[in-house]
Amino acid sequence: MSLRAKIRNWLTEKYLIVIRKKQDFSVLGSFNVSFSRIIIMGVLSLSVIFFISLVLTRTILRQWFDPVYMETENTAKILMLSDIVDSLSVAVSQKDAYLANIQGIISGNGVLGKESLADSIANKPDSGSSKPAAFKPSEATLSILDEFNSAPVEYSNPMDISGSSFAEAFFFSPIKGVLTAVFAPQEDHFGVDIVAKENEPVKAIADGTVILASWTLDTGYILSIQHSNELISIYKHNSVILKKVGEIVRAGEIISIIGNTGELTTGQHLHFELWYKGSPLNPQEFITFD
């Protein structure tokens, strides 16, 4: 018998499968099978399983099995994150411009120009590092700078802001002593001078965040705190600064030691200023120093 005939007989030869009960061996059913039928049923079963799997990967299970779907989703997330990063970059640039101009006002340099703005931010003082960080102003920073240039600093009478949320708030006295110079904005003296005994601690007037802790030629060791409601307090001529930029301070917390530093000092004292939305306030209207 040839090999082809043997294969044909093997495929077409039928077998009887009988199903019986275990107890009495009674016949429950029977059916004929052959290897050819088994092969055909297997191929059909695999085809059905493949078709169902294909449908599922294109519909319900697409997010787990379709690489194109995953790539599209990841691309959308990357674009969204990129927009967020761009927005944060603009916000940071605007904040840097704002702080740079505040520091310019504090140090007596006024509102910075476009060229000096980059130098100021690049050399922004940080008590924990001596190396200035490189900075290149962006278009957003320059646009904020234009707004500062178009809005000159003006003196605000305390009565004009009596209805603000901090007008009735309690402020700690930064130091107890004798006033030797009062608030006189017409003479470019935007704060008060308080004389106290040597090594007297200086305290924060309210809760806030340190935005400047540095040394300038005119004012010596200087520290500035950003409070709520756009209120800023400034402490000049200190002998020692005890806080760093970015630190959160509480009302009444010691932040520095009174001193006699800077070329504009006339002896050991604290020069204290209050600024609201870029305009100076008379500290005596809010704080008692004696």
Side-chain angles (χ1 to χ4, degrees):
M1 181 181 295
S2 64
L3 179 60
R4 182 178 297 179
K6 288 181 179 180
I7 293 174
R8 185 184 301 111
N9 290 337
W10 178 75
L11 291 174
T12 57
E13 188 173 1
K14 295 183 178 181
Y15 299 90
L16 180 64
I17 297 178
V18 179
I19 302 175
R20 297 177 180 271
K21 279 187 178 183
K22 183 178 180 181
Q23 292 83 358
D24 55 6
F25 296 101
S26 58
V27 178
L28 296 178
S30 62
F31 56 91
N32 296 324
V33 295
S34 63
F35 285 108
S36 59
R37 182 177 297 179
I38 293 174
I39 293 173
I40 293 172
M41 293 299 296
V43 171
L44 290 176
S45 299
L46 291 176
S47 300
V48 171
I49 293 173
F50 175 78
F51 177 76
I52 294 175
S53 300
L54 183 62
V55 172
L56 290 176
T57 55
R58 296 293 182 178
T59 54
I60 300 176
L61 303 179
R62 183 183 179 187
Q63 56 181 326
W64 290 288
F65 294 98
D66 189 354
V68 176
Y69 176 84
M70 292 300 297
E71 183 177 353
T72 302
E73 289 292 311
N74 291 335
T75 302
K77 291 180 181 179
I78 291 173
L79 291 176
M80 180 182 67
L81 291 175
S82 178
D83 291 340
I84 294 175
V85 170
D86 290 341
S87 300
L88 291 176
S89 298
V90 172
V92 169
S93 298
Q94 294 173 352
K95 189 66 175 179
D96 287 341
Y98 173 77
L99 291 178
N101 280 279
I102 289 295
Q103 292 173 9
I105 294 172
I106 293 171
S107 61
N109 296 326
V111 178
L112 301 179
K114 292 184 179 181
E115 295 180 357
S116 59
L117 174 62
D119 296 335
S120 173
I121 299 179
N123 296 280
K124 182 168 58 176
D126 186 351
S127 54
S129 174
S130 60
K131 296 181 179 179
F135 176 81
K136 182 179 181 181
S138 64
E139 292 298 328
T141 301
L142 296 179
S143 66
I144 295 299
L145 177 62
D146 292 336
E147 294 182 11
F148 272 104
N149 288 331
S150 62
V153 176
E154 297 180 355
Y155 164 64
S156 292
N157 191 306
M159 299 303 295
D160 296 337
I161 51 109
S162 59
S164 65
S165 58
F166 69 85
E168 299 179 357
F170 173 76
F171 295 113
F172 278 83
S173 175
I175 198 169
K176 293 294 185 180
V178 179
L179 283 176
T180 58
V182 296
F183 181 70
Q186 66 277 6
E187 299 176 5
D188 293 332
H189 193 260
F190 299 106
V192 295
D193 293 341
I194 310 104
V195 174
K197 61 183 180 180
E198 187 177 0
N199 295 328
E200 186 74 9
V202 178
K203 302 175 182 178
I205 64 168
D207 296 349
T209 303
V210 178
I211 60 173
L212 177 63
S214 181
W215 184 90
T216 66
L217 185 62
D218 292 337
T219 60
Y221 288 104
I222 179 174
L223 188 141
S224 179
I225 300 175
Q226 172 77 64
H227 306 286
S228 59
N229 299 316
E230 301 183 63
L231 180 68
I232 295 177
S233 60
I234 303 169
Y235 313 78
K236 297 181 178 180
H237 305 302
N238 301 279
S239 60
V240 178
I241 294 177
L242 303 177
K243 299 296 179 181
K244 299 179 181 179
V245 173
E247 284 193 56
I248 297 175
V249 296
R250 301 301 180 188
E253 184 176 354
I254 297 175
I255 56 176
S256 64
I257 303 297
I258 192 173
N260 185 29
T261 59
E263 292 186 351
L264 298 182
T265 184
T266 55
Q268 180 170 274
H269 74 287
L270 171 69
H271 177 85
F272 175 74
E273 298 179 7
L274 275 179
W275 291 74
Y276 176 66
K277 292 186 176 180
S279 298
L281 303 178
N282 185 356
Q284 288 184 275
E285 297 291 336
F286 304 93
I287 301 173
T288 301
F289 298 96
D290 50 17

PDB file of all heavy atoms in Angstrom, residues 184-218:
ATOM      1  N   ALA A 184       9.086 109.987  55.522  1.00  0.00           N
ATOM      2  CA  ALA A 184       9.112 111.242  54.767  1.00  0.00           C
ATOM      3  C   ALA A 184       9.363 110.933  53.297  1.00  0.00           C
ATOM      4  O   ALA A 184      10.492 111.063  52.802  1.00  0.00           O
ATOM      5  CB  ALA A 184      10.183 112.178  55.315  1.00  0.00           C
ATOM      6  N   PRO A 185       8.355 110.474  52.563  1.00  0.00           N
ATOM      7  CA  PRO A 185       8.553 110.075  51.148  1.00  0.00           C
ATOM      8  C   PRO A 185       9.002 111.229  50.263  1.00  0.00           C
ATOM      9  O   PRO A 185       9.691 111.016  49.268  1.00  0.00           O
ATOM     10  CB  PRO A 185       7.178 109.556  50.744  1.00  0.00           C
ATOM     11  CG  PRO A 185       6.215 110.182  51.709  1.00  0.00           C
ATOM     12  CD  PRO A 185       6.962 110.318  52.994  1.00  0.00           C
ATOM     13  N   GLN A 186       8.619 112.475  50.619  1.00  0.00           N
ATOM     14  CA  GLN A 186       9.050 113.618  49.819  1.00  0.00           C
ATOM     15  C   GLN A 186      10.558 113.829  49.893  1.00  0.00           C
ATOM     16  O   GLN A 186      11.151 114.503  49.038  1.00  0.00           O
ATOM     17  CB  GLN A 186       8.306 114.884  50.259  1.00  0.00           C
ATOM     18  CG  GLN A 186       8.634 115.346  51.669  1.00  0.00           C
ATOM     19  CD  GLN A 186       7.837 114.609  52.734  1.00  0.00           C
ATOM     20  OE1 GLN A 186       7.109 113.655  52.426  1.00  0.00           O
ATOM     21  NE2 GLN A 186       7.969 115.060  53.970  1.00  0.00           N
ATOM     22  N   GLU A 187      11.190 113.247  50.929  1.00  0.00           N
ATOM     23  CA  GLU A 187      12.647 113.322  51.084  1.00  0.00           C
ATOM     24  C   GLU A 187      13.318 111.980  50.768  1.00  0.00           C
ATOM     25  O   GLU A 187      14.451 111.730  51.172  1.00  0.00           O
ATOM     26  CB  GLU A 187      12.986 113.743  52.513  1.00  0.00           C
ATOM     27  CG  GLU A 187      12.433 115.110  52.889  1.00  0.00           C
ATOM     28  CD  GLU A 187      12.693 115.459  54.346  1.00  0.00           C
ATOM     29  OE1 GLU A 187      13.383 114.661  55.021  1.00  0.00           O
ATOM     30  OE2 GLU A 187      12.218 116.508  54.794  1.00  0.00           O
ATOM     31  N   ASP A 188      12.591 111.112  50.093  1.00  0.00           N
ATOM     32  CA  ASP A 188      13.073 109.773  49.726  1.00  0.00           C
ATOM     33  C   ASP A 188      13.410 108.924  50.947  1.00  0.00           C
ATOM     34  O   ASP A 188      14.274 108.042  50.894  1.00  0.00           O
ATOM     35  CB  ASP A 188      14.307 109.855  48.811  1.00  0.00           C
ATOM     36  CG  ASP A 188      13.972 110.445  47.454  1.00  0.00           C
ATOM     37  OD1 ASP A 188      12.810 110.290  47.026  1.00  0.00           O
ATOM     38  OD2 ASP A 188      14.852 111.048  46.830  1.00  0.00           O
ATOM     39  N   HIS A 189      12.717 109.181  52.043  1.00  0.00           N
ATOM     40  CA  HIS A 189      12.863 108.340  53.239  1.00  0.00           C
ATOM     41  C   HIS A 189      11.540 107.601  53.412  1.00  0.00           C
ATOM     42  O   HIS A 189      10.574 108.141  53.954  1.00  0.00           O
ATOM     43  CB  HIS A 189      13.182 109.192  54.481  1.00  0.00           C
ATOM     44  CG  HIS A 189      13.633 108.372  55.647  1.00  0.00           C
ATOM     45  ND1 HIS A 189      12.799 108.026  56.687  1.00  0.00           N
ATOM     46  CD2 HIS A 189      14.843 107.806  55.927  1.00  0.00           C
ATOM     47  CE1 HIS A 189      13.469 107.300  57.561  1.00  0.00           C
ATOM     48  NE2 HIS A 189      14.719 107.152  57.126  1.00  0.00           N
ATOM     49  N   PHE A 190      11.523 106.346  52.917  1.00  0.00           N
ATOM     50  CA  PHE A 190      10.266 105.608  52.799  1.00  0.00           C
ATOM     51  C   PHE A 190       9.965 104.717  54.010  1.00  0.00           C
ATOM     52  O   PHE A 190       9.174 103.784  53.898  1.00  0.00           O
ATOM     53  CB  PHE A 190      10.285 104.747  51.535  1.00  0.00           C
ATOM     54  CG  PHE A 190      10.421 105.560  50.284  1.00  0.00           C
ATOM     55  CD1 PHE A 190      11.627 105.575  49.593  1.00  0.00           C
ATOM     56  CD2 PHE A 190       9.382 106.314  49.808  1.00  0.00           C
ATOM     57  CE1 PHE A 190      11.773 106.327  48.433  1.00  0.00           C
ATOM     58  CE2 PHE A 190       9.508 107.072  48.651  1.00  0.00           C
ATOM     59  CZ  PHE A 190      10.712 107.088  47.964  1.00  0.00           C
ATOM     60  N   GLY A 191      10.618 104.979  55.127  1.00  0.00           N
ATOM     61  CA  GLY A 191      10.354 104.181  56.314  1.00  0.00           C
ATOM     62  C   GLY A 191      10.660 104.964  57.568  1.00  0.00           C
ATOM     63  O   GLY A 191      10.663 106.208  57.560  1.00  0.00           O
ATOM     64  N   VAL A 192      10.890 104.238  58.650  1.00  0.00           N
ATOM     65  CA  VAL A 192      11.229 104.867  59.926  1.00  0.00           C
ATOM     66  C   VAL A 192      12.527 104.257  60.436  1.00  0.00           C
ATOM     67  O   VAL A 192      12.853 103.117  60.126  1.00  0.00           O
ATOM     68  CB  VAL A 192      10.102 104.675  60.964  1.00  0.00           C
ATOM     69  CG1 VAL A 192       8.841 105.391  60.544  1.00  0.00           C
ATOM     70  CG2 VAL A 192       9.820 103.191  61.186  1.00  0.00           C
ATOM     71  N   ASP A 193      13.269 105.037  61.244  1.00  0.00           N
ATOM     72  CA  ASP A 193      14.500 104.566  61.857  1.00  0.00           C
ATOM     73  C   ASP A 193      14.266 104.394  63.348  1.00  0.00           C
ATOM     74  O   ASP A 193      13.769 105.316  64.022  1.00  0.00           O
ATOM     75  CB  ASP A 193      15.642 105.557  61.619  1.00  0.00           C
ATOM     76  CG  ASP A 193      16.042 105.630  60.149  1.00  0.00           C
ATOM     77  OD1 ASP A 193      15.712 104.689  59.405  1.00  0.00           O
ATOM     78  OD2 ASP A 193      16.673 106.632  59.763  1.00  0.00           O
ATOM     79  N   ILE A 194      14.614 103.212  63.865  1.00  0.00           N
ATOM     80  CA  ILE A 194      14.433 102.922  65.282  1.00  0.00           C
ATOM     81  C   ILE A 194      15.783 102.583  65.889  1.00  0.00           C
ATOM     82  O   ILE A 194      16.481 101.676  65.419  1.00  0.00           O
ATOM     83  CB  ILE A 194      13.458 101.740  65.497  1.00  0.00           C
ATOM     84  CG1 ILE A 194      12.177 101.944  64.693  1.00  0.00           C
ATOM     85  CG2 ILE A 194      13.153 101.558  66.975  1.00  0.00           C
ATOM     86  CD1 ILE A 194      12.090 101.117  63.457  1.00  0.00           C
ATOM     87  N   VAL A 195      16.141 103.311  66.944  1.00  0.00           N
ATOM     88  CA  VAL A 195      17.390 103.054  67.666  1.00  0.00           C
ATOM     89  C   VAL A 195      17.073 102.165  68.861  1.00  0.00           C
ATOM     90  O   VAL A 195      16.136 102.422  69.616  1.00  0.00           O
ATOM     91  CB  VAL A 195      18.045 104.363  68.133  1.00  0.00           C
ATOM     92  CG1 VAL A 195      19.270 104.068  69.009  1.00  0.00           C
ATOM     93  CG2 VAL A 195      18.455 105.203  66.936  1.00  0.00           C
ATOM     94  N   ALA A 196      17.865 101.097  69.043  1.00  0.00           N
ATOM     95  CA  ALA A 196      17.694 100.181  70.170  1.00  0.00           C
ATOM     96  C   ALA A 196      19.070  99.768  70.666  1.00  0.00           C
ATOM     97  O   ALA A 196      20.098 100.115  70.069  1.00  0.00           O
ATOM     98  CB  ALA A 196      16.869  98.964  69.761  1.00  0.00           C
ATOM     99  N   LYS A 197      19.086  99.011  71.758  1.00  0.00           N
ATOM    100  CA  LYS A 197      20.361  98.614  72.330  1.00  0.00           C
ATOM    101  C   LYS A 197      21.072  97.610  71.418  1.00  0.00           C
ATOM    102  O   LYS A 197      20.472  96.974  70.555  1.00  0.00           O
ATOM    103  CB  LYS A 197      20.168  98.034  73.724  1.00  0.00           C
ATOM    104  CG  LYS A 197      19.303  96.790  73.766  1.00  0.00           C
ATOM    105  CD  LYS A 197      19.108  96.332  75.210  1.00  0.00           C
ATOM    106  CE  LYS A 197      18.236  95.079  75.285  1.00  0.00           C
ATOM    107  NZ  LYS A 197      18.036  94.630  76.674  1.00  0.00           N
ATOM    108  N   GLU A 198      22.360  97.436  71.641  1.00  0.00           N
ATOM    109  CA  GLU A 198      23.197  96.589  70.804  1.00  0.00           C
ATOM    110  C   GLU A 198      22.737  95.129  70.862  1.00  0.00           C
ATOM    111  O   GLU A 198      22.282  94.639  71.910  1.00  0.00           O
ATOM    112  CB  GLU A 198      24.644  96.686  71.260  1.00  0.00           C
ATOM    113  CG  GLU A 198      25.640  95.984  70.353  1.00  0.00           C
ATOM    114  CD  GLU A 198      27.071  96.179  70.819  1.00  0.00           C
ATOM    115  OE1 GLU A 198      27.271  96.854  71.852  1.00  0.00           O
ATOM    116  OE2 GLU A 198      27.979  95.659  70.151  1.00  0.00           O
ATOM    117  N   ASN A 199      22.838  94.465  69.709  1.00  0.00           N
ATOM    118  CA  ASN A 199      22.487  93.044  69.557  1.00  0.00           C
ATOM    119  C   ASN A 199      21.010  92.753  69.860  1.00  0.00           C
ATOM    120  O   ASN A 199      20.643  91.629  70.197  1.00  0.00           O
ATOM    121  CB  ASN A 199      23.357  92.158  70.460  1.00  0.00           C
ATOM    122  CG  ASN A 199      24.812  92.203  70.068  1.00  0.00           C
ATOM    123  OD1 ASN A 199      25.148  92.363  68.893  1.00  0.00           O
ATOM    124  ND2 ASN A 199      25.695  92.079  71.049  1.00  0.00           N
ATOM    125  N   GLU A 200      20.158  93.773  69.721  1.00  0.00           N
ATOM    126  CA  GLU A 200      18.717  93.570  69.913  1.00  0.00           C
ATOM    127  C   GLU A 200      18.163  92.768  68.728  1.00  0.00           C
ATOM    128  O   GLU A 200      18.458  93.072  67.563  1.00  0.00           O
ATOM    129  CB  GLU A 200      18.004  94.911  70.011  1.00  0.00           C
ATOM    130  CG  GLU A 200      16.532  94.824  70.357  1.00  0.00           C
ATOM    131  CD  GLU A 200      16.293  94.475  71.816  1.00  0.00           C
ATOM    132  OE1 GLU A 200      17.264  94.465  72.610  1.00  0.00           O
ATOM    133  OE2 GLU A 200      15.129  94.208  72.161  1.00  0.00           O
ATOM    134  N   PRO A 201      17.359  91.707  68.970  1.00  0.00           N
ATOM    135  CA  PRO A 201      16.807  90.924  67.855  1.00  0.00           C
ATOM    136  C   PRO A 201      15.700  91.671  67.123  1.00  0.00           C
ATOM    137  O   PRO A 201      14.921  92.407  67.739  1.00  0.00           O
ATOM    138  CB  PRO A 201      16.270  89.669  68.548  1.00  0.00           C
ATOM    139  CG  PRO A 201      15.958  90.106  69.941  1.00  0.00           C
ATOM    140  CD  PRO A 201      16.993  91.138  70.287  1.00  0.00           C
ATOM    141  N   VAL A 202      15.661  91.475  65.814  1.00  0.00           N
ATOM    142  CA  VAL A 202      14.614  92.049  64.971  1.00  0.00           C
ATOM    143  C   VAL A 202      13.618  90.948  64.636  1.00  0.00           C
ATOM    144  O   VAL A 202      14.018  89.836  64.268  1.00  0.00           O
ATOM    145  CB  VAL A 202      15.206  92.645  63.678  1.00  0.00           C
ATOM    146  CG1 VAL A 202      14.103  93.206  62.790  1.00  0.00           C
ATOM    147  CG2 VAL A 202      16.222  93.717  64.019  1.00  0.00           C
ATOM    148  N   LYS A 203      12.313  91.261  64.731  1.00  0.00           N
ATOM    149  CA  LYS A 203      11.276  90.254  64.561  1.00  0.00           C
ATOM    150  C   LYS A 203      10.411  90.553  63.342  1.00  0.00           C
ATOM    151  O   LYS A 203      10.248  91.710  62.942  1.00  0.00           O
ATOM    152  CB  LYS A 203      10.394  90.186  65.815  1.00  0.00           C
ATOM    153  CG  LYS A 203      11.174  89.876  67.090  1.00  0.00           C
ATOM    154  CD  LYS A 203      10.284  89.939  68.309  1.00  0.00           C
ATOM    155  CE  LYS A 203      11.070  89.674  69.595  1.00  0.00           C
ATOM    156  NZ  LYS A 203      10.217  89.771  70.794  1.00  0.00           N
ATOM    157  N   ALA A 204       9.839  89.494  62.778  1.00  0.00           N
ATOM    158  CA  ALA A 204       8.920  89.644  61.649  1.00  0.00           C
ATOM    159  C   ALA A 204       7.602  90.217  62.148  1.00  0.00           C
ATOM    160  O   ALA A 204       7.091  89.808  63.190  1.00  0.00           O
ATOM    161  CB  ALA A 204       8.685  88.304  60.974  1.00  0.00           C
ATOM    162  N   ILE A 205       7.038  91.151  61.413  1.00  0.00           N
ATOM    163  CA  ILE A 205       5.799  91.793  61.857  1.00  0.00           C
ATOM    164  C   ILE A 205       4.583  90.903  61.644  1.00  0.00           C
ATOM    165  O   ILE A 205       3.562  91.076  62.290  1.00  0.00           O
ATOM    166  CB  ILE A 205       5.590  93.129  61.135  1.00  0.00           C
ATOM    167  CG1 ILE A 205       5.397  92.903  59.623  1.00  0.00           C
ATOM    168  CG2 ILE A 205       6.763  94.067  61.386  1.00  0.00           C
ATOM    169  CD1 ILE A 205       4.906  94.130  58.888  1.00  0.00           C
ATOM    170  N   ALA A 206       4.682  89.935  60.713  1.00  0.00           N
ATOM    171  CA  ALA A 206       3.557  89.047  60.410  1.00  0.00           C
ATOM    172  C   ALA A 206       4.088  87.819  59.684  1.00  0.00           C
ATOM    173  O   ALA A 206       5.261  87.753  59.314  1.00  0.00           O
ATOM    174  CB  ALA A 206       2.512  89.767  59.563  1.00  0.00           C
ATOM    175  N   ASP A 207       3.215  86.847  59.486  1.00  0.00           N
ATOM    176  CA  ASP A 207       3.593  85.656  58.735  1.00  0.00           C
ATOM    177  C   ASP A 207       3.954  86.042  57.302  1.00  0.00           C
ATOM    178  O   ASP A 207       3.355  86.968  56.728  1.00  0.00           O
ATOM    179  CB  ASP A 207       2.445  84.644  58.695  1.00  0.00           C
ATOM    180  CG  ASP A 207       2.096  84.119  60.082  1.00  0.00           C
ATOM    181  OD1 ASP A 207       2.872  84.383  61.023  1.00  0.00           O
ATOM    182  OD2 ASP A 207       1.045  83.457  60.223  1.00  0.00           O
ATOM    183  N   GLY A 208       4.906  85.319  56.725  1.00  0.00           N
ATOM    184  CA  GLY A 208       5.268  85.607  55.345  1.00  0.00           C
ATOM    185  C   GLY A 208       6.419  84.748  54.865  1.00  0.00           C
ATOM    186  O   GLY A 208       6.841  83.803  55.538  1.00  0.00           O
ATOM    187  N   THR A 209       6.930  85.091  53.683  1.00  0.00           N
ATOM    188  CA  THR A 209       8.035  84.372  53.050  1.00  0.00           C
ATOM    189  C   THR A 209       9.159  85.344  52.734  1.00  0.00           C
ATOM    190  O   THR A 209       8.915  86.432  52.195  1.00  0.00           O
ATOM    191  CB  THR A 209       7.565  83.699  51.741  1.00  0.00           C
ATOM    192  OG1 THR A 209       6.477  82.829  52.023  1.00  0.00           O
ATOM    193  CG2 THR A 209       8.703  82.891  51.119  1.00  0.00           C
ATOM    194  N   VAL A 210      10.376  84.964  53.058  1.00  0.00           N
ATOM    195  CA  VAL A 210      11.540  85.813  52.787  1.00  0.00           C
ATOM    196  C   VAL A 210      11.803  85.853  51.287  1.00  0.00           C
ATOM    197  O   VAL A 210      11.977  84.816  50.645  1.00  0.00           O
ATOM    198  CB  VAL A 210      12.786  85.289  53.528  1.00  0.00           C
ATOM    199  CG1 VAL A 210      14.002  86.152  53.206  1.00  0.00           C
ATOM    200  CG2 VAL A 210      12.539  85.262  55.036  1.00  0.00           C
ATOM    201  N   ILE A 211      11.799  87.059  50.719  1.00  0.00           N
ATOM    202  CA  ILE A 211      12.043  87.203  49.273  1.00  0.00           C
ATOM    203  C   ILE A 211      13.383  87.875  48.989  1.00  0.00           C
ATOM    204  O   ILE A 211      13.823  87.911  47.842  1.00  0.00           O
ATOM    205  CB  ILE A 211      10.907  87.997  48.597  1.00  0.00           C
ATOM    206  CG1 ILE A 211      10.796  89.409  49.203  1.00  0.00           C
ATOM    207  CG2 ILE A 211       9.587  87.254  48.707  1.00  0.00           C
ATOM    208  CD1 ILE A 211       9.802  90.308  48.474  1.00  0.00           C
ATOM    209  N   LEU A 212      14.019  88.408  50.040  1.00  0.00           N
ATOM    210  CA  LEU A 212      15.328  89.038  49.842  1.00  0.00           C
ATOM    211  C   LEU A 212      16.115  88.926  51.138  1.00  0.00           C
ATOM    212  O   LEU A 212      15.627  89.274  52.209  1.00  0.00           O
ATOM    213  CB  LEU A 212      15.174  90.512  49.449  1.00  0.00           C
ATOM    214  CG  LEU A 212      16.479  91.307  49.270  1.00  0.00           C
ATOM    215  CD1 LEU A 212      17.290  90.732  48.123  1.00  0.00           C
ATOM    216  CD2 LEU A 212      16.189  92.779  49.034  1.00  0.00           C
ATOM    217  N   ALA A 213      17.323  88.411  51.049  1.00  0.00           N
ATOM    218  CA  ALA A 213      18.234  88.339  52.185  1.00  0.00           C
ATOM    219  C   ALA A 213      19.629  88.547  51.618  1.00  0.00           C
ATOM    220  O   ALA A 213      20.249  87.614  51.112  1.00  0.00           O
ATOM    221  CB  ALA A 213      18.114  86.993  52.893  1.00  0.00           C
ATOM    222  N   SER A 214      20.132  89.794  51.697  1.00  0.00           N
ATOM    223  CA  SER A 214      21.346  90.126  50.959  1.00  0.00           C
ATOM    224  C   SER A 214      22.109  91.249  51.661  1.00  0.00           C
ATOM    225  O   SER A 214      21.773  91.633  52.790  1.00  0.00           O
ATOM    226  CB  SER A 214      20.975  90.523  49.527  1.00  0.00           C
ATOM    227  OG  SER A 214      22.123  90.820  48.769  1.00  0.00           O
ATOM    228  N   TRP A 215      23.125  91.762  50.963  1.00  0.00           N
ATOM    229  CA  TRP A 215      23.923  92.890  51.449  1.00  0.00           C
ATOM    230  C   TRP A 215      24.083  93.869  50.313  1.00  0.00           C
ATOM    231  O   TRP A 215      24.370  93.501  49.171  1.00  0.00           O
ATOM    232  CB  TRP A 215      25.290  92.409  51.910  1.00  0.00           C
ATOM    233  CG  TRP A 215      26.142  93.499  52.515  1.00  0.00           C
ATOM    234  CD1 TRP A 215      26.193  93.859  53.828  1.00  0.00           C
ATOM    235  CD2 TRP A 215      27.042  94.370  51.818  1.00  0.00           C
ATOM    236  NE1 TRP A 215      27.070  94.902  54.006  1.00  0.00           N
ATOM    237  CE2 TRP A 215      27.616  95.239  52.783  1.00  0.00           C
ATOM    238  CE3 TRP A 215      27.411  94.506  50.484  1.00  0.00           C
ATOM    239  CZ2 TRP A 215      28.528  96.214  52.450  1.00  0.00           C
ATOM    240  CZ3 TRP A 215      28.328  95.490  50.154  1.00  0.00           C
ATOM    241  CH2 TRP A 215      28.882  96.332  51.130  1.00  0.00           C
ATOM    242  N   THR A 216      23.840  95.158  50.601  1.00  0.00           N
ATOM    243  CA  THR A 216      24.060  96.203  49.611  1.00  0.00           C
ATOM    244  C   THR A 216      25.004  97.234  50.191  1.00  0.00           C
ATOM    245  O   THR A 216      25.128  97.383  51.417  1.00  0.00           O
ATOM    246  CB  THR A 216      22.740  96.885  49.203  1.00  0.00           C
ATOM    247  OG1 THR A 216      22.207  97.588  50.344  1.00  0.00           O
ATOM    248  CG2 THR A 216      21.733  95.857  48.718  1.00  0.00           C
ATOM    249  N   LEU A 217      25.655  97.993  49.313  1.00  0.00           N
ATOM    250  CA  LEU A 217      26.632  98.976  49.747  1.00  0.00           C
ATOM    251  C   LEU A 217      25.979 100.068  50.593  1.00  0.00           C
ATOM    252  O   LEU A 217      26.539 100.525  51.588  1.00  0.00           O
ATOM    253  CB  LEU A 217      27.327  99.595  48.526  1.00  0.00           C
ATOM    254  CG  LEU A 217      28.477 100.568  48.819  1.00  0.00           C
ATOM    255  CD1 LEU A 217      29.596  99.867  49.562  1.00  0.00           C
ATOM    256  CD2 LEU A 217      28.977 101.194  47.523  1.00  0.00           C
ATOM    257  N   ASP A 218      24.775 100.487  50.214  1.00  0.00           N
ATOM    258  CA  ASP A 218      24.115 101.597  50.916  1.00  0.00           C
ATOM    259  C   ASP A 218      23.436 101.153  52.210  1.00  0.00           C
ATOM    260  O   ASP A 218      23.508 101.851  53.223  1.00  0.00           O
ATOM    261  CB  ASP A 218      23.077 102.252  50.003  1.00  0.00           C
ATOM    262  CG  ASP A 218      23.728 102.983  48.845  1.00  0.00           C
ATOM    263  OD1 ASP A 218      24.910 103.353  48.970  1.00  0.00           O
ATOM    264  OD2 ASP A 218      23.058 103.163  47.812  1.00  0.00           O
TER     265      ASP A 218
END
